[in-house]
Amino acid sequence: KETIDHVAVTHASSFALTSEGQVYSWGGSTFGVLGRRIEVNEDDERKKCPQKIDFPFGGNTKVAHISAGYHHCLALTTEGNVFGWGNNEWG
């Protein structure tokens, strides 16, 4: 059974890392911080529901740890790769 192992939050968004290495996001979508495509006409109710983030390289990417800041999130994979998304104004 898949469980939530870790959560990370920004000022308006939340992220959950599951025991299977999947990341889910919900909340505010400023600067692409949810890490998934948000349609212009997408209603706010859909943003409030956790949705899985799809990482590059097919469906085999498993995340070991997540961390979030004001408008960004980082994910460290079990392979040692780091993915970041959201605001990159300061590098």
Side-chain angles (χ1 to χ4, degrees):
K1 181 179 175 180
E2 191 171 33
T3 59
I4 302 299
D5 286 354
H6 183 75
V7 295
V9 297
T10 71
H11 81 288
S13 306
S14 300
F15 304 87
L17 173 61
T18 72
S19 56
E20 299 296 317
Q22 302 301 308
V23 179
Y24 290 80
S25 66
W26 65 98
S29 60
T30 305
F31 300 110
V33 72
L34 292 180
R36 55 189 169 84
R37 180 178 208 102
I38 301 293
E39 301 298 329
V40 173
N41 60 356
E42 185 172 323
D43 64 26
D44 286 337
E45 289 303 313
R46 181 167 149 73
K47 293 177 196 171
K48 292 178 186 176
C49 297
Q51 302 288 319
K52 183 178 158 197
I53 296 174
D54 292 320
F55 289 92
F57 313 117
N60 299 326
T61 301
K62 294 198 183 292
V63 174
H65 187 73
I66 55 174
S67 183
Y70 194 71
H71 281 301
H72 69 279
C73 191
L74 299 169
L76 172 65
T77 70
T78 56
E79 303 270 321
N81 296 311
V82 176
F83 291 96
W85 57 93
N87 190 359
N88 188 32
E89 186 173 343
W90 293 289

